[in-house]
């Protein structure tokens, strides 16, 4: 018997503290106008001491379960995409598993800002192959803890948060994930990286980025990834109802919307309020548009992301 991964529920968590561009400009050589014009960002949520990667992931997971109307025990697997776990191990996912009372198994996945697309792809393979029937896919990030708050070129771009999607095994000809497409090219590993990890004693652990080069790759590689997703399903730009892109920069998002010929209101944008929440950005944006009724049953939704690695990919789904 074959299955398709259908969407059962979505959940989110955003830290309580909101930091405006103006607040950053009070202690950095930057301005609200520069940040807005170059990125579209106006504010970001920044985690407090108790708002850990695990805490946010659990909150988002509980909300997704509640909205799907199912119990934690019915979940077979938890996958958390994160570059900012609280501990090297155990994985954030097993902490979530314990908190929601799930059986099965859980693990974390590292693919930077493409993490959610990667996690979706892995979960989909498991569901299609019959290894799991219900999988919680979560992106949870606290980039505020790996930023150099003196570096205006990077610290203004990111925010914290978590988003969760519950997938379930549905009929192969029913709604759900049509396909996912993953790519990475490690030869661009030095364009966007964190200069440390738990295994390196001398690590300072701050995010470093060549913004201009990342921007150039993003536009070209994301264009390829969306074409690939549509071609794999025999669909065209005109079939796409919604673009739910990774939320890194409004200019990259606009370029993708324009390429697809989508009206601006068909592109889900949260970067203005959330900034770049890395692996959490797509589930946060997706959940917002599902919950406010924009994305409806039967709609064709295209997701795409690019991040450190470089990693990139796309996912196409029928609601
Ligand atoms: N405030 C004010 N000035 C800033 C600034 C800030 N926060 N950050 C950088 N600048 C300055 C630079 O120092 C530079 O000054 P200089 O010309 O005197 O050297 C100038 O602004 C232009 O910098 P540049 O890097 O060319 O700007 P840009 O138009 O490329 O925009 C980014 C910078 C980071 C917004 C843009 O490159 C970008 O979004 N890249 C993609 C990043 C991304 O998406 N990363 C995540 C991928 S998951």
């Amino acid at each position: 018997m074959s299955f398709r991964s259908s969407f059962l529920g979505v959940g989110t968590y955003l830290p309580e503290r909101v930091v405006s561009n103006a607040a950053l400009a009070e202690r950095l050589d930057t301005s609200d106008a520069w940040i807005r014009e170059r990125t579209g960002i106006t504010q970001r949520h920044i985690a407090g001491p108790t708002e850990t990667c695990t805490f946010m992931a659990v909150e988002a997971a509980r909300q997704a379960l509640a909205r799907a109307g199912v119990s934690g025990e019915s979940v077979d697997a938890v996958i958390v995409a994160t570059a900012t776990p609280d501990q090297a191990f155990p994985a954030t996912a097993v902490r979530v598993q314990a908190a929601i009372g799930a059986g099965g198994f859980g693990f974390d996945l590292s693919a930077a800002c493409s993490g959610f697309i990667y996690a979706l792809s892995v979960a989909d393979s498991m569901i299609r192959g019959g290894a799991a029937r219900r999988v919680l896919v979560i992106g949870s990030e606290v980039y505020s803890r790996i930023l150099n708050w003196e570096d205006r070129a990077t610290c203004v771009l990111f925010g914290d948060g978590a988003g969760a999607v519950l997938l379930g095994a549905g009929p192969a000809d029913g709604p759900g994930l049509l396909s996912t497409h993953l790519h990475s090219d490690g030869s661009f590993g030095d364009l966007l990286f964190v200069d440390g990890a738990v295994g390196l004693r001398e690590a300072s652990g701050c995010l470093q980025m060549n913004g201009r080069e990342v921007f150039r790759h993003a536009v070209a590689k994301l264009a390829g990834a969306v074409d690939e997703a549509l071609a794999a399903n025999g669909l065209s730009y005109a079939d796409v109802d919604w673009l739910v892109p990774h939320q890194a920069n409004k200019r990259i998002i606009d370029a993708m919307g324009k390429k697809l010929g989508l009206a601006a209101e068909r592109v889900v944008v949260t970067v203005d309020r959330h900034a770049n929440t890395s692996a959490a950005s797509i589930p946060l944006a997706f959940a917002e548009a599902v919950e406010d009724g924009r994305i409806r049953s039967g709609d064709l939704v295209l997701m795409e992301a690019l991040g450190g690695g470089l990693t990139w990919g796309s996912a196409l789904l029928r609601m």
Side-chain angles (χ1 to χ4, degrees):
M1 187 159 171
S2 60
F3 301 101
R4 175 166 282 163
S5 308
S6 63
F7 288 79
L8 304 180
V10 289
T12 60
Y13 183 84
L14 286 162
E16 279 173 27
R17 186 170 157 232
V18 174
V19 177
S20 68
N21 291 345
L24 290 182
E26 278 171 21
R27 43 166 211 81
L28 263 181
D29 182 15
T30 187
S31 66
D32 176 50
W34 192 96
I35 301 170
R36 251 176 228 265
E37 279 161 25
R38 303 288 177 123
T39 70
I41 296 164
T42 65
Q43 60 168 48
R44 71 284 295 139
H45 291 251
I46 298 295
T50 59
E51 291 173 312
T52 61
C53 178
T54 305
F55 173 84
M56 296 196 298
V58 169
E59 291 295 306
R62 286 193 173 131
Q63 199 177 63
L65 291 170
R67 285 177 174 160
V70 303
S71 69
E73 294 95 82
S74 71
V75 172
D76 300 320
V78 181
I79 306 176
V80 177
T82 186
T84 49
D86 305 320
Q87 298 172 299
F89 69 84
T92 313
V94 301
R95 300 284 191 198
V96 175
Q97 183 192 23
I100 65 170
F105 57 92
F107 59 93
D108 288 2
L109 185 154
S110 166
C113 295
S114 310
F116 183 75
I117 300 278
Y118 271 62
L120 213 51
S121 183
V122 172
D124 187 40
S125 302
M126 288 176 168
I127 288 173
R128 282 177 195 262
R133 289 190 59 83
R134 226 169 239 178
V135 184
L136 252 177
V137 179
I138 305 170
S140 185
E141 302 279 20
V142 274
Y143 267 48
S144 60
R145 294 184 186 141
I146 56 163
L147 292 171
N148 174 358
W149 285 97
E150 307 300 317
D151 178 15
R152 67 177 184 173
T154 54
C155 76
V156 303
L157 303 175
F158 296 90
D160 301 331
V165 167
L166 182 65
L167 295 178
D173 57 355
L177 256 178
L178 302 181
S179 65
T180 56
H181 306 271
L182 306 183
H183 298 277
S184 65
D185 186 340
S187 66
F188 298 117
D190 290 339
L191 291 184
L192 175 52
F193 62 97
V194 177
D195 61 354
V198 185
L200 283 177
R201 276 169 196 271
E202 73 277 14
S204 56
C206 278
L207 183 143
Q208 320 248 357
M209 179 174 71
N210 180 334
R212 215 174 285 181
E213 277 300 293
V214 172
F215 192 101
R216 199 172 61 76
H217 282 290
V219 174
K221 291 185 164 55
L222 292 173
V226 301
D227 285 347
E228 183 182 20
L230 290 169
N233 294 282
L235 295 166
S236 68
Y237 296 166
D239 295 310
V240 177
D241 295 303
W242 295 99
L243 176 65
V244 183
H246 168 51
Q247 309 280 324
N249 183 311
K250 184 70 168 42
R251 288 187 292 151
I252 298 173
I253 294 172
D254 288 347
M256 296 309 297
K258 199 170 160 200
K259 173 187 163 58
L260 294 166
L262 276 177
E265 59 271 19
R266 292 267 150 191
V267 181
V268 181
V269 176
T270 52
V271 69
D272 52 337
R273 289 157 290 133
H274 301 171
N276 181 348
T277 57
S278 192
S281 95
I282 291 179
L284 277 166
F286 180 62
E288 185 175 286
V290 167
E291 282 304 305
D292 68 18
R294 271 178 289 169
I295 296 181
R296 294 180 190 182
S297 179
D299 284 351
L300 187 73
V301 180
L302 182 56
M303 297 173 168
E304 40 85 341
L306 175 135
L310 293 177
T311 54
W312 67 100
S314 57
L316 194 63
L317 46 125
R318 179 76 66 187
M319 293 299 291

